[in-house]
Amino acid sequence: KKKKNADIKSKLNLTITGLILVLCIFIVYFMPRAKYQGKAITAQILESIPESGQRWQGGEILDTGGDLEGNIYNFISRIFARQYINSADANQDVLFIVLDAGNFHYPKVCFQGAGFTAEELPQRELSLAPGKIKVQLLLNKKKDEQLLSIYWICIDKKIVSSWAEQKAKQLYYSFFNKERVGLMIRMDIPVSGSIDNSINIAEDFLNDIYKNIPEQYKNYIFSEF
């Protein structure tokens, strides 16, 4: 009798699991999807990033914006990338990249694809005027070149703590068709001396640029402190 009850319970669980799976497939593939409403605000955020700060001067901007009204762009916005140089020290430069969190690959994979050996380093905190933000670090090496990649993902003004959490949130928003504004922010800095030195350069750059970003957009990039 116990075995029979266990078999019934097992079959019932399988049936419920199957029904949930069918429902998920129906929602994902057959229910109408709203166009990604975060697209417009994302474009405004990218356009608000200043060309220069008080000490850091920017060069030409790389912007892959195109026909954002096309169906293929329902969940894609634009990519911002600009090289900045410290006017007080021309040897200090930062490649600053901001892009839609649903439109990028894991940075380690990108660097490895470019021929670098990529090593994940422990998370660090960067000190900004309003507070601290937790960031991910990636040390990339190729021949005599070393780049420290510092990045974080901010979804709806909150920094996600890990790659797994970002993927979980991405799945949640896509599954339930939720509106969101998600950005990945990345800095690539040549390593000259120690990692700490590159971290200090990143902090100096961010604090300088932060001052010139309009208040209504700051939290989308740096989170709510």
Side-chain angles (χ1 to χ4, degrees), residues 7-222:
D7 289 341
I8 293 173
K9 186 176 180 180
S10 177
K11 289 179 181 179
L12 181 60
N13 288 337
L14 286 173
T15 301
I16 293 173
T17 302
L19 288 174
I20 292 174
L21 180 60
V22 170
L23 178 62
C24 292
I25 293 172
F26 177 81
I27 291 174
V28 171
Y29 290 101
F30 296 103
M31 290 189 68
R33 288 180 175 272
K35 182 178 274 294
Y36 174 28
Q37 297 299 314
K39 180 188 66 178
I41 185 68
T42 298
Q44 294 170 23
I45 295 167
L46 300 187
E47 289 167 1
S48 78
I49 299 172
E51 181 177 348
S52 300
Q54 295 178 343
R55 296 180 305 279
W56 288 82
Q57 307 299 314
E60 290 295 318
I61 183 174
L62 167 64
D63 187 346
T64 60
D67 174 18
L68 299 181
E69 299 305 317
N71 290 332
I72 63 172
Y73 292 105
N74 275 6
F75 298 95
I76 297 177
S77 187
R78 297 191 297 172
I79 299 173
F80 169 95
R82 176 181 277 144
Q83 193 87 20
Y84 290 84
I85 296 176
N86 190 341
S87 58
D89 185 348
N91 292 318
Q92 293 184 1
D93 64 275
V94 173
L95 175 61
F96 190 50
I97 301 170
V98 184
L99 66 159
D100 189 291
N103 182 28
F104 68 95
H105 299 285
Y106 184 27
K108 185 175 183 179
V109 175
C110 292
F111 277 103
Q112 288 175 335
F116 284 86
T117 300
E119 176 190 359
E120 293 179 355
L121 301 179
Q123 289 183 332
R124 295 281 290 267
E125 287 187 334
L126 298 184
S127 297
L128 274 69
K132 294 180 180 293
I133 58 173
K134 184 170 287 187
V135 299
Q136 313 287 335
L137 301 183
L138 199 62
L139 181 60
N140 310 288
K141 301 178 182 178
K142 182 167 66 172
K143 296 182 179 179
D144 296 331
E145 182 180 7
Q146 285 194 84
L147 284 175
L148 179 66
S149 186
I150 302 171
Y151 68 94
W152 66 94
I153 297 164
C154 191
I155 298 179
D156 284 342
K157 303 179 182 180
K158 293 180 177 61
I159 293 179
V160 298
S161 60
S162 67
W163 189 260
E165 182 184 353
Q166 188 273 330
K167 286 301 180 185
K169 283 183 177 289
Q170 193 174 28
L171 176 62
Y172 169 80
Y173 284 115
S174 297
F175 183 77
F176 291 103
N177 224 6
K178 296 284 187 179
E179 298 179 7
R180 85 283 190 198
V181 177
L183 299 173
M184 187 190 80
I185 300 90
R186 192 178 106 193
M187 294 175 290
D188 295 337
I189 303 171
V191 176
S192 177
S194 67
I195 298 296
D196 286 336
N197 183 54
S198 297
I199 294 288
N200 292 337
I201 291 173
E203 288 181 337
D204 184 71
F205 165 75
L206 288 178
N207 278 289
D208 194 42
I209 294 298
Y210 180 88
K211 299 172 186 175
N212 289 345
I213 296 177
E215 289 296 328
Q216 66 266 36
Y217 300 128
K218 287 181 178 178
N219 290 343
Y220 287 107
I221 297 175
F222 300 99

